[in-house]
Amino acid sequence: MLHDKDRNAKYFQGIRAAVSRVKEKGEKAIVLDIGTGTGLLSMMAASAGADFCYAIEVFKPMANAAVKIVEKNGFRDKIKVINKHSTEVTVGPDGDMQCRANILVTELFDTELIGEGALPTYEHAHKYLVQEGCEAVPHRATVYAQLVESTRMWSWNKLFPVHVEAEDGEKIIVSPSEMENCPGVPSVCDIQLNQMPSSDFTILSDVVTMFSVDFSKPVRSASTYYRVQLEPVKSGKAQIVLSWWDIDMDPSGTINCTMAPYWVKSTSAFQWRDHWMQCVYFLPNEEPVLQGEKVYLTASRDEYSVWYMLQKARGEEDNKADDRVESPVCRCQAHLLWNRPRFGELNDQNRTRQYIKSLMKVLKSDSVCLCVSDGSLLPMLAHYLGAKQVFTLENSAVSCSVMEKFFKANHLEDKIKIIEARPESLTSSHLEDKKISVLVGEPFFTTSLLPWHNLYFWYARTAVTGHLTSNVTVLPQSASLHMVIVEFQDLWRIRSPCGTCEGFDVQTMDDMINNSLNFRESKEAEPHPLWEYPCKSLSDPQEVLIFDFRKPVPQDCLSTEGSVNLLRKGKSHGAVLWMEYHLAADISVSTGLMQISNEKGNCEWNPHCKQAVYFFSSVTEPETLSDLPGAITYTINFNTKTGEIAMDFKLL
């Protein structure tokens, strides 16, 4: 956030202007800064001539850092850091604040604007902490929406029919009706919309203003709704509402900070942000709309979230109806089992085809099949492709329930047996005293964060060894860990120190973050969905470790070391790691790099998975970064006891 120059500069402009307006009235400028963080906005106010600032920060380590930063920058006499929640702050001669403030400065926003509790915080501040008619920076926020059709985004919320070419004709796996009609989960889907190619969605309406909040006046946090009439600019299926906001730092709106995506704000100089992105909202149902035929879009909100619905425009009396709709809650349980990228993965037809091709190679008419994955379609595929009997091992009550509904919807409840047990608790009676001849997994487990966490499949395979035939076929037969060295366009900023921000020394914050990163026993990789974060490869991709699922997990750790030559000029920000699963002879699926698209080395990533990013220390010590190719040595160690991978890299 401190790297967001656009945000910082505009806050500074807005604060200077607000202090000037108060001073012009002949009043002292008393500032209240809620959620001060580093103390940056308070320091801006003090340097703009504010007489005194009350900087509130509830998080103790952050409040301690703010005290140090304020002192270091020479504002000790002008800024008081209060380590409390703003609703606990007292005003009066013996209070935390001597008097009410006449300038309210905050940065309490998230991608959805209100998700961090901005509305109740403002509501309380106006009642108890600031004067009536105070100045506010930002002065107002406005939320915008646009109606689109997008098969890609819709595939994150609904499961499409799956077509299977079997020997006895085409079979179609359909969703249970309650899943078809389920509104999904209430949490917002926030993404870097600027990475979504325009070919992946069709715009059905102009951008409309849904609602505005004036922060200089009392704010109400009570649930409410806003309704806008739209005239579609194109006919199509309304599925998605794209939304973002902007903030005006001053009453006239001349100092504006916007989150608008590229097709709305056609400027070449985009400010990259990871703290504020854009929102994707799924309509409860797909609604056909006709160009020029009016519809009503309703945004409902509570204190912390927003949701949308679309209605056809009817008569006048209909317009008076109360359109408040309950917040979407998943009723089918599938949205609790599968997150949005998982829905996208299950809807990926190319990926499904690879599994079908592999299953056709390994299944025989007498195959007894056991599937180990959380809520997978593989048991149904195995049944349709001719397995004699299929069992599926489900780890949780939720995955059992979802699979039961699927089997019922596809009339397979008598054909596939669900076993709710952990692999180590599997008994012969669960399997009706049969031995498993084909063990399958995607593998996918809902608890996995990093790519190698799905190696849980290997541990499950090891636990069920006693139930397998001596010549068992395991699909996938093996997995491999791959790696490439990259230069990120922007993602490096989340690890890079700021030093100074708008002329203020925030080194204390950098040190605090670095200490917390070093505090861990070893440096670790972290998961990121890299389709949203452009990068270019500086090396060729390299296979570094192989895991053979045909054999149980070995007792000893798996280790490797080597070096990677850098082929392109660029800054080596880090290594990206991912898994590839070798399903059957010559058939693999990748959870990471799909291709390097041109001679510049631009990487295309699997959009349904998070990849592991290991940031090099050079990102946190920028002076060591070189643009010239060299080599990088690595050591990678897979601990078979814990299933974790430790790694170390050195730039030569």
Side-chain angles (χ1 to χ4, degrees):
M1 202 176 253
L2 293 175
H3 280 292
D4 187 341
K5 291 186 166 55
D6 179 63
R7 158 195 177 267
N8 301 337
K10 282 168 181 170
Y11 259 101
F12 210 167
Q13 278 177 275
I15 287 168
R16 282 194 198 105
V19 171
S20 295
R21 287 194 298 274
V22 168
K23 295 280 195 184
E24 277 162 18
K25 291 191 276 189
E27 297 175 15
K28 278 190 165 182
I30 307 297
V31 175
L32 171 63
D33 171 9
I34 301 178
T36 196
T38 55
L40 179 66
L41 303 184
S42 287
M43 294 190 295
M44 287 177 177
S47 70
D51 294 275
F52 200 77
C53 304
Y54 295 103
I56 299 173
E57 176 55 55
V58 69
F59 183 49
K60 184 134 183 70
M62 199 70 248
N64 294 344
V67 169
K68 289 179 188 158
I69 291 169
V70 163
E71 282 196 10
K72 200 170 181 181
N73 286 277
F75 295 111
R76 187 179 178 174
D77 301 336
K78 284 279 185 88
I79 300 172
K80 178 185 180 184
V81 177
I82 302 167
N83 177 210
K84 280 186 176 181
H85 196 281
S86 65
T87 54
E88 296 166 354
V89 169
T90 55
V91 180
D94 302 322
D96 299 309
M97 296 169 63
Q98 291 290 294
C99 60
R100 287 185 175 227
N102 55 8
I103 301 176
L104 176 54
V105 177
T106 64
E107 199 285 83
L108 300 166
F109 314 117
D110 68 346
T111 295
E112 202 173 19
L113 185 73
I114 63 172
E116 288 183 7
L119 296 179
T121 303
Y122 272 112
E123 186 172 42
H124 176 271
H126 275 287
K127 276 183 187 162
Y128 303 107
L129 305 176
V130 296
Q131 296 174 18
E132 196 178 334
C134 71
E135 293 284 347
V137 182
H139 180 79
R140 83 175 68 78
T142 307
V143 172
Y144 302 92
Q146 188 169 33
L147 208 53
V148 302
E149 175 180 340
S150 170
T151 303
R152 177 176 176 187
M153 290 185 255
W154 194 237
S155 79
W156 300 342
N157 192 50
K158 299 279 180 206
L159 193 72
F160 303 156
V162 178
H163 296 261
V164 187
E165 291 295 340
E167 280 188 352
D168 53 346
E170 188 188 55
K171 303 284 197 287
I172 299 175
I173 298 173
V174 296
S175 294
S177 59
E178 64 183 295
M179 192 170 149
E180 285 292 299
N181 302 316
C182 182
V185 286
S187 61
V188 67
C189 176
D190 53 341
I191 62 166
Q192 296 279 1
L193 212 42
N194 287 323
Q195 296 309 317
M196 182 69 69
S198 56
S199 55
D200 279 353
F201 60 95
T202 304
I203 290 171
L204 300 180
S205 81
D206 290 331
V207 177
V208 292
T209 300
M210 284 314 297
F211 63 92
S212 267
V213 187
D214 183 336
F215 297 125
S216 69
K217 298 192 175 86
V219 170
R220 292 194 59 213
S221 66
S223 298
T224 186
Y225 71 96
Y226 312 90
R227 195 170 191 222
V228 174
Q229 193 180 55
L230 287 180
E231 207 167 283
V233 294
K234 195 169 184 172
S235 300
K237 291 180 290 202
Q239 299 164 323
I240 306 285
V241 176
L242 301 179
S243 178
W244 57 90
W245 50 264
D246 67 14
I247 41 180
D248 289 322
M249 297 297 183
D250 60 328
S252 66
T254 48
I255 310 166
N256 178 272
C257 186
T258 181
M259 307 309 124
Y262 65 86
W263 64 91
V264 176
K265 174 193 169 202
S266 53
T267 111
S268 56
F270 259 98
Q271 170 67 51
W272 182 81
R273 300 182 168 99
D274 202 40
H275 46 102
W276 295 331
M277 294 186 268
Q278 294 80 29
C279 302
V280 175
Y281 294 99
F282 305 95
L283 288 170
N285 297 98
E286 200 172 69
E287 299 280 356
V289 295
L290 293 170
Q291 184 177 343
E293 194 176 279
K294 292 187 175 72
V295 289
Y296 288 104
L297 183 64
T298 303
S300 304
R301 70 151 181 82
D302 55 22
E303 286 185 348
Y304 297 100
S305 56
V306 183
W307 58 96
Y308 285 85
M309 74 172 287
L310 192 71
Q311 288 164 306
K312 295 275 157 59
R314 295 191 193 93
E316 273 304 305
E317 71 290 341
D318 181 62
N319 300 354
K320 297 186 180 71
D322 184 347
D323 290 307
R324 257 182 282 197
V325 186
E326 289 300 304
S327 163
V329 173
C330 172
R331 297 186 294 265
C332 73
Q333 293 186 296
H335 298 89
L336 308 178
L337 177 65
W338 301 326
N339 61 15
R340 289 162 184 139
R342 174 63 173 163
F343 268 96
E345 183 170 66
L346 291 171
N347 282 320
D348 183 337
Q349 293 168 347
N350 290 332
R351 180 177 180 274
T352 303
R353 271 198 291 273
Q354 302 294 71
Y355 282 92
I356 290 173
K357 261 178 19 192
S358 310
L359 285 166
M360 285 169 82
K361 284 190 173 198
V362 303
L363 289 176
K364 302 187 177 80
S365 58
D366 61 349
S367 292
V368 178
C369 195
L370 173 65
C371 177
V372 184
S373 275
D374 289 349
S376 174
L377 305 183
L378 287 184
M380 289 184 278
L381 296 180
H383 170 76
Y384 285 140
L385 295 171
K388 182 180 177 186
Q389 188 159 10
V390 181
F391 300 94
T392 180
L393 195 61
E394 300 293 339
N395 255 333
S396 70
V398 173
S399 63
C400 282
S401 170
V402 170
M403 295 324 288
E404 265 168 25
K405 290 170 189 170
F406 260 98
F407 298 162
K408 203 167 180 183
N410 291 280
H411 312 294
L412 297 174
E413 60 267 53
D414 305 333
K415 306 281 195 285
I416 301 170
K417 184 182 172 190
I418 299 172
I419 304 166
E420 186 182 350
R422 295 188 62 77
E424 58 273 19
S425 317
L426 190 67
T427 64
S428 294
S429 60
H430 281 133
L431 300 170
E432 298 164 7
D433 295 323
K434 296 190 171 67
K435 290 280 189 191
I436 299 302
S437 59
V438 181
L439 179 71
V440 300
E442 295 187 39
F444 168 82
F445 301 99
T446 54
T447 50
S448 298
L449 295 173
L450 289 161
W452 45 88
H453 289 168
N454 284 322
L455 287 173
Y456 175 73
F457 175 76
W458 200 11
Y459 292 83
R461 177 256 179 267
T462 305
V464 302
T465 299
H467 302 288
L468 309 177
T469 60
S470 56
N471 60 344
V472 66
T473 301
V474 183
L475 184 162
Q477 57 190 26
S478 65
S480 48
L481 179 69
H482 294 249
M483 161 181 99
V484 68
I485 309 300
V486 301
E487 174 181 44
F488 285 108
Q489 189 177 300
D490 294 294
L491 189 65
W492 59 272
R493 295 174 203 275
I494 68 169
R495 282 284 161 271
S496 181
C498 288
T500 60
C501 185
E502 292 301 306
F504 302 103
D505 183 341
V506 292
Q507 180 74 44
T508 306
M509 170 80 176
D510 295 336
D511 296 342
M512 185 171 99
I513 291 171
N514 268 341
N515 291 340
S516 73
L517 289 173
N518 296 336
F519 183 70
R520 297 188 299 210
E521 288 178 19
S522 66
K523 286 205 57 179
E524 292 163 13
E526 49 192 70
H528 290 283
L530 290 187
W531 75 267
E532 295 183 57
Y533 301 104
C535 62
K536 69 171 192 177
S537 65
L538 301 184
S539 73
D540 281 337
Q542 196 153 319
E543 181 180 270
V544 287
L545 272 181
I546 295 176
F547 311 93
D548 187 350
F549 299 153
R550 290 166 296 194
K551 304 184 183 114
V553 177
Q555 290 296 306
D556 298 331
C557 292
L558 302 178
S559 296
T560 183
E561 53 184 50
S563 69
V564 192
N565 288 325
L566 301 180
L567 311 173
R568 293 183 185 87
K569 279 186 172 182
K571 299 201 185 307
S572 302
H573 288 140
V576 179
L577 300 102
W578 67 94
M579 300 294 290
E580 289 188 10
Y581 294 102
H582 310 289
L583 305 182
D586 307 325
I587 304 176
S588 294
V589 292
S590 171
T591 68
L593 192 65
M594 305 311 275
Q595 64 166 352
I596 293 173
S597 63
N598 55 21
E599 68 289 346
K600 286 186 187 149
N602 293 342
C603 297
E604 285 181 30
W605 298 99
N606 182 322
H608 316 306
C609 303
K610 287 183 177 179
Q611 291 74 36
V613 179
Y614 181 102
F615 287 104
F616 296 155
S617 57
S618 57
V619 175
T620 53
E621 299 149 19
E623 63 278 3
T624 64
L625 276 178
S626 155
D627 270 335
L628 296 169
I632 285 175
T633 61
Y634 62 87
T635 56
I636 293 174
N637 184 47
F638 175 68
N639 184 334
T640 53
K641 301 280 184 288
T642 64
E644 287 301 336
I645 289 182
M647 56 194 83
D648 194 29
F649 295 88
K650 288 194 173 58
L651 282 71
L652 298 181

Short mmCIF file of all heavy atoms in Angstrom, two decimals, residues 364 366-370 387-391 431 434-439:
data_model
loop_
_atom_site.label_atom_id
_atom_site.label_comp_id
_atom_site.label_asym_id
_atom_site.label_seq_id
_atom_site.Cartn_x
_atom_site.Cartn_y
_atom_site.Cartn_z
N LYS A 364 -10.29 -51.54 -16.96
CA LYS A 364 -10.70 -52.78 -17.64
C LYS A 364 -12.12 -53.12 -17.15
O LYS A 364 -12.61 -52.52 -16.19
CB LYS A 364 -9.74 -53.91 -17.28
CG LYS A 364 -8.28 -53.63 -17.64
CD LYS A 364 -7.43 -54.87 -17.40
CE LYS A 364 -5.98 -54.65 -17.81
NZ LYS A 364 -5.21 -53.92 -16.79
N ASP A 366 -13.10 -55.51 -15.45
CA ASP A 366 -13.17 -56.06 -14.08
C ASP A 366 -12.51 -55.12 -13.05
O ASP A 366 -12.23 -55.54 -11.92
CB ASP A 366 -12.51 -57.44 -14.05
CG ASP A 366 -11.03 -57.39 -14.43
OD1 ASP A 366 -10.58 -56.32 -14.92
OD2 ASP A 366 -10.33 -58.41 -14.26
N SER A 367 -12.24 -53.85 -13.44
CA SER A 367 -11.54 -52.92 -12.54
C SER A 367 -12.38 -52.57 -11.31
O SER A 367 -13.55 -52.21 -11.43
CB SER A 367 -11.19 -51.63 -13.26
OG SER A 367 -10.22 -51.85 -14.25
N VAL A 368 -11.74 -52.69 -10.14
CA VAL A 368 -12.34 -52.19 -8.90
C VAL A 368 -11.57 -50.92 -8.56
O VAL A 368 -10.36 -50.95 -8.36
CB VAL A 368 -12.24 -53.22 -7.75
CG1 VAL A 368 -12.85 -52.64 -6.47
CG2 VAL A 368 -12.95 -54.51 -8.15
N CYS A 369 -12.31 -49.81 -8.54
CA CYS A 369 -11.68 -48.50 -8.53
C CYS A 369 -11.94 -47.78 -7.20
O CYS A 369 -13.06 -47.80 -6.70
CB CYS A 369 -12.30 -47.74 -9.69
SG CYS A 369 -11.42 -46.30 -10.15
N LEU A 370 -10.88 -47.16 -6.65
CA LEU A 370 -11.05 -46.31 -5.46
C LEU A 370 -10.54 -44.91 -5.81
O LEU A 370 -9.42 -44.77 -6.29
CB LEU A 370 -10.26 -46.87 -4.26
CG LEU A 370 -10.23 -45.98 -3.00
CD1 LEU A 370 -11.62 -45.83 -2.38
CD2 LEU A 370 -9.25 -46.52 -1.96
N ALA A 387 -15.57 -49.09 -15.39
CA ALA A 387 -15.09 -49.80 -14.19
C ALA A 387 -16.20 -50.69 -13.65
O ALA A 387 -17.38 -50.32 -13.68
CB ALA A 387 -14.66 -48.79 -13.14
N LYS A 388 -15.82 -51.87 -13.17
CA LYS A 388 -16.82 -52.81 -12.65
C LYS A 388 -17.45 -52.27 -11.36
O LYS A 388 -18.65 -52.35 -11.14
CB LYS A 388 -16.14 -54.16 -12.37
CG LYS A 388 -17.08 -55.24 -11.86
CD LYS A 388 -16.32 -56.52 -11.62
CE LYS A 388 -17.22 -57.60 -11.03
NZ LYS A 388 -16.43 -58.80 -10.67
N GLN A 389 -16.59 -51.70 -10.48
CA GLN A 389 -17.10 -51.14 -9.24
C GLN A 389 -16.27 -49.91 -8.85
O GLN A 389 -15.05 -49.90 -9.05
CB GLN A 389 -17.04 -52.17 -8.11
CG GLN A 389 -17.76 -51.66 -6.86
CD GLN A 389 -18.17 -52.78 -5.93
OE1 GLN A 389 -17.78 -53.92 -6.11
NE2 GLN A 389 -18.94 -52.45 -4.91
N VAL A 390 -16.95 -48.92 -8.30
CA VAL A 390 -16.26 -47.67 -7.93
C VAL A 390 -16.59 -47.29 -6.49
O VAL A 390 -17.76 -47.26 -6.09
CB VAL A 390 -16.67 -46.50 -8.87
CG1 VAL A 390 -15.90 -45.23 -8.50
CG2 VAL A 390 -16.41 -46.86 -10.34
N PHE A 391 -15.52 -47.04 -5.72
CA PHE A 391 -15.65 -46.49 -4.36
C PHE A 391 -15.03 -45.09 -4.37
O PHE A 391 -14.07 -44.85 -5.09
CB PHE A 391 -14.89 -47.35 -3.34
CG PHE A 391 -15.35 -48.77 -3.25
CD1 PHE A 391 -14.73 -49.78 -4.00
CD2 PHE A 391 -16.40 -49.11 -2.40
CE1 PHE A 391 -15.15 -51.10 -3.90
CE2 PHE A 391 -16.82 -50.43 -2.30
CZ PHE A 391 -16.21 -51.42 -3.05
N LEU A 431 -14.77 -51.78 1.80
CA LEU A 431 -14.58 -52.12 0.38
C LEU A 431 -15.27 -53.43 0.01
O LEU A 431 -14.98 -54.01 -1.04
CB LEU A 431 -13.08 -52.23 0.07
CG LEU A 431 -12.24 -50.96 0.32
CD1 LEU A 431 -10.75 -51.27 0.20
CD2 LEU A 431 -12.63 -49.87 -0.66
N LYS A 434 -13.23 -56.39 -1.13
CA LYS A 434 -12.58 -56.42 -2.46
C LYS A 434 -11.22 -55.73 -2.38
O LYS A 434 -10.99 -54.87 -1.53
CB LYS A 434 -13.46 -55.70 -3.49
CG LYS A 434 -14.80 -56.39 -3.72
CD LYS A 434 -15.51 -55.78 -4.90
CE LYS A 434 -16.75 -56.59 -5.28
NZ LYS A 434 -17.80 -56.53 -4.25
N LYS A 435 -10.34 -56.10 -3.29
CA LYS A 435 -9.04 -55.42 -3.43
C LYS A 435 -9.16 -54.39 -4.55
O LYS A 435 -9.85 -54.62 -5.56
CB LYS A 435 -7.94 -56.43 -3.78
CG LYS A 435 -7.59 -57.37 -2.63
CD LYS A 435 -6.67 -56.70 -1.62
CE LYS A 435 -6.16 -57.69 -0.59
NZ LYS A 435 -5.49 -57.03 0.53
N ILE A 436 -8.46 -53.28 -4.38
CA ILE A 436 -8.52 -52.19 -5.36
C ILE A 436 -7.49 -52.43 -6.46
O ILE A 436 -6.29 -52.58 -6.19
CB ILE A 436 -8.22 -50.83 -4.66
CG1 ILE A 436 -9.26 -50.55 -3.57
CG2 ILE A 436 -8.17 -49.70 -5.68
CD1 ILE A 436 -10.70 -50.50 -4.04
N SER A 437 -7.95 -52.46 -7.71
CA SER A 437 -7.02 -52.67 -8.83
C SER A 437 -6.63 -51.34 -9.50
O SER A 437 -5.60 -51.27 -10.16
CB SER A 437 -7.62 -53.62 -9.86
OG SER A 437 -8.83 -53.09 -10.36
N VAL A 438 -7.48 -50.31 -9.33
CA VAL A 438 -7.14 -48.98 -9.89
C VAL A 438 -7.41 -47.92 -8.82
O VAL A 438 -8.54 -47.76 -8.36
CB VAL A 438 -7.98 -48.66 -11.16
CG1 VAL A 438 -7.59 -47.30 -11.72
CG2 VAL A 438 -7.79 -49.74 -12.22
N LEU A 439 -6.33 -47.24 -8.43
CA LEU A 439 -6.45 -46.16 -7.44
C LEU A 439 -6.32 -44.84 -8.19
O LEU A 439 -5.33 -44.62 -8.89
CB LEU A 439 -5.34 -46.29 -6.39
CG LEU A 439 -5.32 -45.20 -5.31
CD1 LEU A 439 -6.50 -45.35 -4.35
CD2 LEU A 439 -4.01 -45.25 -4.52
#
